[in-house]
Amino acid sequence: MTILIFDLDDTLISWIDFFNWRNNNNNNNNNNNNAIITYDDIGFHKNLYNILNNIPYNKYIFTNGTIGHAIHTLTKMGCLDLFNGIFARDNINLMKPDMKAYNKVRNLLVYQFNEYDNDIIFFDDLPNNVISGNNMGWKSILINPNNINTNNTNIEYKFNDIYSALKYI
């Protein structure tokens, strides 16, 4: 069975899009390029919800953020109920791209969630994290909203956004 593992920030949710939207829709026209983005800026992501809901695989979050941040963000997006579990820096006590973090996630998938090493598809926005996923034997996909130069890396799958990547599955 296939398992999908998603990074959260700048993979499932693009903070850059929120920042650009807020700057372009700033009512007081003060061109505040340092606008603070808050959880209140996050709304229901209907398209993402529908796409993820129609994918018949178990889904997990693997983030360097906190579990509280992941729960709050996914709740605001309306997507929390679509995920079987969350692996975060404060509940696995490790961070990507450390291979120990990936091994811990793999072990938790087996021992806590009874997900045995099947086909794992991993989505992240940072090349080093994607390369670590590749080193685990996972099919790793770079979501590249920042258009980071990845020409010299061993990254096979690259998409501009999560929507394009999910069409590939």
Side-chain angles (χ1 to χ4, degrees), residues 17 29 54 72 78-80 89 132 159:
D17 289 344
N29 294 321
N54 287 317
H72 198 81
C79 296
L80 180 64
R89 70 177 182 216
S132 291
F159 294 90

Side-chain angles (χ1 to χ4, degrees), residues 15 34 43 46 64 77 88 91 130 157 159-160 165:
W15 293 108
N34 297 316
K46 182 178 182 179
N64 282 344
M77 293 171 68
N91 70 346
V130 170
Y157 305 101
F159 294 90
N160 288 331

Side-chain angles (χ1 to χ4, degrees), residues 3-4 6 52-53 55-61 82-85:
I3 299 167
L4 304 181
F6 297 89
L52 291 173
N53 192 44
I55 296 173
Y57 307 131
N58 287 345
K59 300 163 203 69
Y60 296 86
I61 295 292
L82 300 176
F83 292 91
N84 300 78

Side-chain angles (χ1 to χ4, degrees), residues 70-135:
I71 289 170
H72 198 81
T73 301
L74 291 168
T75 299
K76 295 288 281 185
M77 293 171 68
C79 296
L80 180 64
D81 64 324
L82 300 176
F83 292 91
N84 300 78
I86 298 171
F87 307 107
R89 70 177 182 216
D90 52 348
N91 70 346
I92 65 169
N93 298 315
L94 294 162
M95 292 175 60
K96 301 175 284 179
D98 187 338
M99 290 303 295
K100 292 176 188 173
Y102 292 78
N103 281 312
K104 187 155 188 180
V105 166
R106 184 187 59 205
N107 289 338
L108 287 168
L109 285 169
V110 170
Y111 297 113
Q112 185 174 345
F113 294 98
N114 296 317
E115 299 273 13
Y116 295 90
D117 271 341
N118 297 314
D119 295 322
I120 294 176
I121 303 174
F122 173 59
F123 304 84
D124 203 293
D125 65 300
L126 296 176
N128 287 342
N129 295 347
V130 170
I131 291 167
S132 291
N134 285 340
N135 291 338

Side-chain angles (χ1 to χ4, degrees), residues 8-9 12-15 18 22 37-49 52 61 67-83 86 163:
L8 181 60
D9 294 314
L12 273 185
I13 185 168
S14 174
W15 293 108
F18 279 118
R22 186 172 235 193
I37 299 167
T38 68
Y39 291 114
D40 292 334
D41 294 316
I42 303 170
F44 179 54
H45 282 58
K46 182 178 182 179
N47 287 343
L48 183 60
Y49 181 90
L52 291 173
I61 295 292
I67 194 162
H69 169 68
I71 289 170
H72 198 81
T73 301
L74 291 168
T75 299
K76 295 288 281 185
M77 293 171 68
C79 296
L80 180 64
D81 64 324
L82 300 176
F83 292 91
I86 298 171
Y163 299 99

Side-chain angles (χ1 to χ4, degrees), residues 127-145:
N128 287 342
N129 295 347
V130 170
I131 291 167
S132 291
N134 285 340
N135 291 338
M136 288 296 297
W138 300 351
K139 181 183 287 184
S140 300
I141 297 172
L142 179 67
I143 305 302
N144 199 3

